[in-house]
Amino acid sequence: MQDITDLSALALSAAIAERRLDCRSVMAAYLSRIEAINPRLNALVSLRPADVLLAEAEAADRALAAGDHRGWLHGMPFAVKDLSEAKGILCSFGSANYADFVPDYDDIHVERIRAAGAIVIGKTNAPEMGLGSHTYNPVFGVTRNPYDTGRSAGGSSGGAAAGLAARLLPVADGSDMMGSLRNPAGFNNVVGFRPSFGRVPSLNTELFLGQLAVNGPMGRSVADVAALLATQSGHDPRDPLSLPDDDLAFDADHDLSGARIGWLGDFDGYLPFEPGVLELCRASLDVFRRLGCRVEEVPPGFDMARLWQTWRTLRHFLVANGQAADYADPDRRARMKPEMIWEIENGRNLSAAEVYAASLGRSDWQRHISGLFERYDFLILPSAQVFPFEAGLDWPKAIAGRAMDTYHRWMEVVIGPTLAGLPVAAMPAGFGANGLPAGIQIIGRPRADRDVLAAAARYEAATDWLSRHPQF
């Protein structure tokens, strides 16, 4: 029989619902694997006691025997990203300033995951306050890549992605401002999905100006990701910009023949790439060609330096104001990472006119992207500019001989979809000569989440990359 932890989330769900597997056995299998492997990866943190989790799994079995099936996640282990609140479980945000914060409430998407029957076993590791696409922090340390434990798992959903790749979790949540669902997916050969802005509602945050970050799903297959997205999504009155309850029914057999694909690549040489990354991602275009798609190279057609300045201004503005109270306290400020201080001090000096100019830049970018979607059904980009780098680094200082002038410049490839609020599926692109994974972004029209997932599913079916996973 296939090992329990090798089953997809949907296959595991069906086995539990049909009583072919009991929840206690599922929990025991995952806890055993976590005990054996997690110390080498540090993907999962704040784990709850095993005896408590096994007792909750037994309760889920009793409920099922009594005819109470709570949802597709019934009795399944789930770890919430450590940037989202889960009632009764430490939520450190990877920050020494919050190393003892235990919320008495769930974030909205966590509420929905619990309501679908999941048993929350703990958290997945994340960088301090989500800053930087490399998962390390002063509370729990660094998360390592299952394909090479000397390498980074990416971030900020690095713990989630590494946990999925190592079969420590069946499915996972994450979040994404600057590629945090996309970069880790590529680094760990799993699937990440950045939903359209507003698709997944959020709680306990500024509700109107912060339109860059989203919560979303990660998984080992597109079908699993689509199932979790359907659970997370839907309007909630506590988040006034959340989208209505659209039909997200998954279509795994969508015909892509004749679809028009635009390859953005390196934006005509604007972005540097580590040797091998761009070539590997470009080769993935042959998969779309075999599916009957028309693939074309797309010239930038936009001032990408202006887009970067737009990004920096808006990110400075949001981070500086979101962290202003901690910065104002000298003791708490002393515990902040240098990149946080840099963001805040740049943001404190911004004028209203500069923020407005950045918003105009974002608006012009949106209009440019809308024009591209008159000619193309999907746009394709790499999901990172480097392969997984050494875990001991704080961030890559240069790519292909070009110096990176900020801690996040090496992830510039992800900012376009974020600024336009677009749905993006992060999919594997294969492995380099170094044996390390890389990935692509499949980008869709505004709010076309269902179409992007359908395209990603066809791409998945035409490759075998997701069948490969690290051996422990």
Side-chain angles (χ1 to χ4, degrees):
M1 179 179 177
Q2 187 177 19
D3 189 280
I4 288 173
T5 60
D6 283 333
L7 294 172
S8 72
L10 285 172
L12 183 61
S13 173
I16 290 171
E18 296 164 10
R19 310 291 298 278
R20 290 182 281 112
L21 283 175
D22 61 87
C23 300
R24 191 190 192 285
S25 295
V26 170
M27 183 63 70
Y30 270 98
L31 292 179
S32 176
R33 189 165 179 85
I34 290 167
E35 182 180 18
I37 297 172
N38 193 56
R40 296 163 61 182
L41 301 179
N42 194 35
L44 306 187
V45 298
S46 300
L47 286 164
R48 299 172 62 213
D51 59 340
V52 173
L53 294 172
L54 290 169
E56 290 184 8
E58 290 169 359
D61 282 325
R62 291 193 296 272
L64 200 58
D68 179 14
H69 183 254
R70 296 181 60 193
W72 81 280
L73 292 171
H74 186 103
M76 291 168 57
F78 196 100
V80 174
K81 184 177 177 179
D82 203 26
L83 300 184
S84 291
E85 296 87 353
K87 184 178 180 179
I89 304 175
L90 175 67
C91 184
S92 76
F93 306 104
S95 167
N97 286 326
Y98 295 91
D100 58 358
F101 171 54
V102 179
D104 60 0
Y105 60 91
D106 288 332
D107 202 346
I108 294 172
H109 74 280
V110 178
E111 284 181 0
R112 293 174 174 182
I113 288 166
R114 286 198 204 258
I119 298 174
V120 178
I121 64 172
K123 304 301 267 315
T124 57
N125 203 22
E128 182 178 334
M129 306 308 292
L131 294 186
S133 199
H134 175 27
T135 298
Y136 70 95
N137 63 64
V139 182
F140 297 112
V142 65
T143 295
R144 298 179 177 274
N145 193 303
Y147 287 92
D148 180 343
T149 56
R151 302 279 175 160
S152 169
S156 61
S157 306
L164 287 166
R167 283 21 187 186
L168 308 184
L169 298 168
V171 70
D173 74 310
S175 57
D176 185 309
M177 185 184 197
M178 192 178 182
S180 292
L181 281 159
R182 292 167 279 166
N183 159 256
F187 272 22
N188 293 274
N189 193 49
V190 296
V191 179
F193 188 75
R194 179 190 164 94
S196 296
F197 177 77
R199 180 69 66 201
V200 178
S202 293
L203 188 66
N204 199 33
T205 185
E206 188 280 317
L207 294 174
F208 295 101
L209 298 178
Q211 297 183 26
L212 299 181
V214 299
N215 293 310
M218 301 187 83
R220 304 184 212 154
S221 72
V222 176
D224 287 352
V225 164
L228 185 57
L229 178 66
T231 298
Q232 295 173 302
S233 297
H235 178 72
D236 188 290
R238 292 169 291 179
D239 184 346
L241 298 185
S242 57
L243 296 178
D245 301 340
D246 292 342
D247 178 13
L248 295 176
F250 182 52
D251 179 10
D253 299 316
H254 181 74
D255 185 4
L256 282 184
S257 60
R260 301 162 299 171
I261 305 290
W263 166 246
L264 296 169
D266 61 359
F267 292 106
D268 200 20
Y270 171 80
L271 294 176
F273 281 83
E274 180 180 346
V277 173
L278 191 63
E279 295 81 1
L280 193 61
C281 294
R282 186 188 297 274
S284 71
L285 299 174
D286 289 337
V287 177
F288 292 99
R289 293 188 180 99
R290 291 197 299 271
L291 291 169
C293 301
R294 298 183 355 236
V295 180
E296 297 178 8
E297 301 233 359
V298 183
F302 194 88
D303 183 349
M304 301 308 293
R306 181 190 180 200
L307 192 70
W308 176 248
Q309 187 56 47
T310 292
W311 171 258
R312 275 194 53 174
T313 298
L314 293 175
R315 185 172 169 99
H316 288 330
F317 169 70
L318 292 170
V319 173
N321 287 284
Q323 302 300 320
D326 285 345
Y327 181 85
D329 182 327
D331 291 336
R332 297 177 77 81
R333 185 192 314 158
R335 292 191 287 267
M336 289 178 167
K337 67 193 293 187
E339 293 82 2
M340 176 74 77
I341 300 294
W342 176 81
E343 292 276 12
I344 293 171
E345 293 183 347
N346 276 276
R348 282 162 56 89
N349 296 323
L350 289 171
S351 68
E354 288 174 306
V355 175
Y356 184 72
S359 188
L360 287 178
R362 184 183 183 190
S363 300
D364 286 344
W365 171 248
Q366 173 67 47
R367 284 185 277 268
H368 173 68
I369 287 290
S370 295
L372 290 182
F373 280 118
E374 291 176 3
R375 300 176 359 232
Y376 302 104
D377 299 299
F378 303 99
L379 301 173
I380 307 292
L381 273 170
S383 60
Q385 292 161 238
V386 296
F387 287 109
F389 52 88
E390 292 183 11
L393 294 177
D394 47 3
W395 45 276
K397 301 301 192 298
I399 300 177
R402 194 183 307 181
M404 299 290 100
D405 57 353
T406 74
Y407 77 100
H408 52 8
R409 192 68 183 251
W410 64 277
M411 282 299 298
E412 190 172 357
V413 72
V414 301
I415 67 171
T418 293
L419 286 168
L422 301 175
V424 188
M427 298 297 295
F431 295 80
N434 52 16
L436 297 172
I440 60 169
Q441 304 176 70
I442 303 175
I443 307 161
R445 293 184 175 90
R447 303 189 181 183
D449 304 59
R450 184 182 179 188
D451 292 343
V452 173
L453 287 167
R458 291 304 305 274
Y459 174 86
E460 174 189 0
T463 72
D464 68 347
W465 293 315
L466 285 170
S467 68
R468 306 182 193 181
H469 56 88
Q471 303 298 313
F472 289 95

